[in-house]
Amino acid sequence: SAVISQKPSRDICQRGTSLTIQCQVDSQVTMMFWYRQQPGQSLTLIATANQGSEATYESGFVIDKFPISRPNLTFSTLTVSNMSPEDSSIYLCSVERDRAYNEQFFGPGTRLTVL
Amino acid sequence: QKEVEQNSGPLSVPEGAIASLNCTYSDRGSQSFFWYRQYSGKSPELIMFIYSNGDKEDGRFTAQLNKASQYVSLLIRDSQPSDSATYLCAVRGTGANSKLTFGKGITLSVRP
């Protein structure tokens, strides 16, 4: 499996501000994803981060709120914009090395609290 | 809407017992099936995956898949207190852009 790091590991932010979360992988991967996990809930896919092109967003998530970058095959960022308390959640980066392998591995997550 | 359903929990078993975790899915074309373990405050960790009908064993864990019944399960033999966690079932459908759909998870507690 790949070694995945996320920064920051946690943050407390004020309403109306934005936070950018970074995801770094120790090797090149084909696919990178961003998920949200709200307290006591399962994982919800926000978007697929595409290298060199716009991310593919799931229903209910929009680029203006969650802009995503993926400049290369080992790095991606997710920004949570104009935050409200409802954005308080754990944000997780995940990767697939190769579509042929199919398995998806998760980073340690970023715990976000919005006051 | 593709759905993945897991037994409502929590599930409590005594140490040394077999824990049986079940999952059903709605998309008959699903091809790949995964079990993740998530300790409190941690991210999900992939512990088993299965692609073909039948059983797949890895140490104390056995994944069972029955595509006709759209059913996948995880058996944990000789359960240990360290197995206490939430277990998430995830299913991937067909196609190059298919995504993982997660169940809500079931919390397992192993009593010493």
Side-chain angles (χ1 to χ4, degrees):
Chain A
S1 64
V3 176
I4 308 166
S5 60
Q6 281 185 238
K7 289 195 294 188
S9 58
R10 59 177 62 229
D11 208 341
I12 300 173
C13 300
Q14 295 298 319
R15 180 195 299 260
T17 63
S18 298
L19 176 72
T20 295
I21 302 167
Q22 299 180 2
C23 177
Q24 179 75 56
V25 193
D26 69 338
S27 58
Q28 292 185 348
V29 294
T30 303
M31 306 294 290
M32 295 183 78
F33 305 91
W34 288 97
Y35 287 82
R36 181 172 73 182
Q37 188 174 32
Q38 295 182 306
Q41 302 296 312
S42 190
L43 287 86
T44 301
L45 179 64
I46 298 171
T48 302
N50 300 309
Q51 194 257 330
S53 64
E54 190 173 289
T56 304
Y57 289 86
E58 297 301 303
S59 176
F61 297 96
V62 295
I63 188 171
D64 290 346
K65 176 68 175 176
F66 298 101
I68 289 171
S69 78
R70 190 178 172 192
N72 56 50
L73 293 177
T74 64
F75 185 79
S76 179
T77 66
L78 167 75
T79 299
V80 186
S81 303
N82 188 25
M83 289 184 285
S84 67
E86 291 71 36
D87 295 319
S88 297
S89 187
I90 297 172
Y91 292 86
L92 294 150
C93 168
S94 75
V95 306
E96 289 179 11
R97 281 184 300 158
D98 187 302
R99 281 260 106 167
Y101 286 95
N102 234 326
E103 297 93 65
Q104 200 168 115
F105 302 96
F106 285 86
T110 296
R111 183 179 295 271
L112 171 62
T113 302
V114 184
L115 303 178
Chain B
Q1 181 81 14
K2 299 175 183 177
E3 295 183 349
V4 176
E5 301 284 344
Q6 295 186 244
N7 302 49
S8 59
L11 175 66
S12 180
V13 301
E15 184 173 356
I18 296 175
S20 177
L21 313 177
N22 304 315
C23 176
T24 58
Y25 57 95
S26 63
D27 181 6
R28 185 169 287 279
S30 298
Q31 296 293 315
S32 311
F33 307 86
F34 306 87
W35 283 98
Y36 287 84
R37 177 176 63 199
Q38 187 172 25
Y39 291 114
S40 180
K42 300 295 185 182
S43 64
E45 173 193 6
L46 180 64
I47 57 171
M48 287 289 285
F49 56 90
I50 186 167
Y51 304 143
S52 303
N53 274 330
D55 294 1
K56 178 182 178 182
E57 188 173 315
D58 183 1
R60 296 187 295 111
F61 298 99
T62 299
Q64 299 176 317
L65 175 60
N66 183 326
K67 289 186 178 180
S69 300
Q70 295 176 236
Y71 175 96
V72 57
S73 65
L74 179 70
L75 301 179
I76 306 174
R77 291 183 299 281
D78 187 23
S79 295
Q80 301 296 310
S82 59
D83 295 324
S84 298
T86 296
Y87 290 80
L88 298 162
C89 173
V91 175
R92 184 193 304 281
T94 55
N97 297 319
S98 58
K99 300 177 288 284
L100 282 186
T101 301
F102 284 84
K104 291 186 176 181
I106 183 167
T107 298
L108 171 67
S109 175
V110 181
R111 308 187 300 272

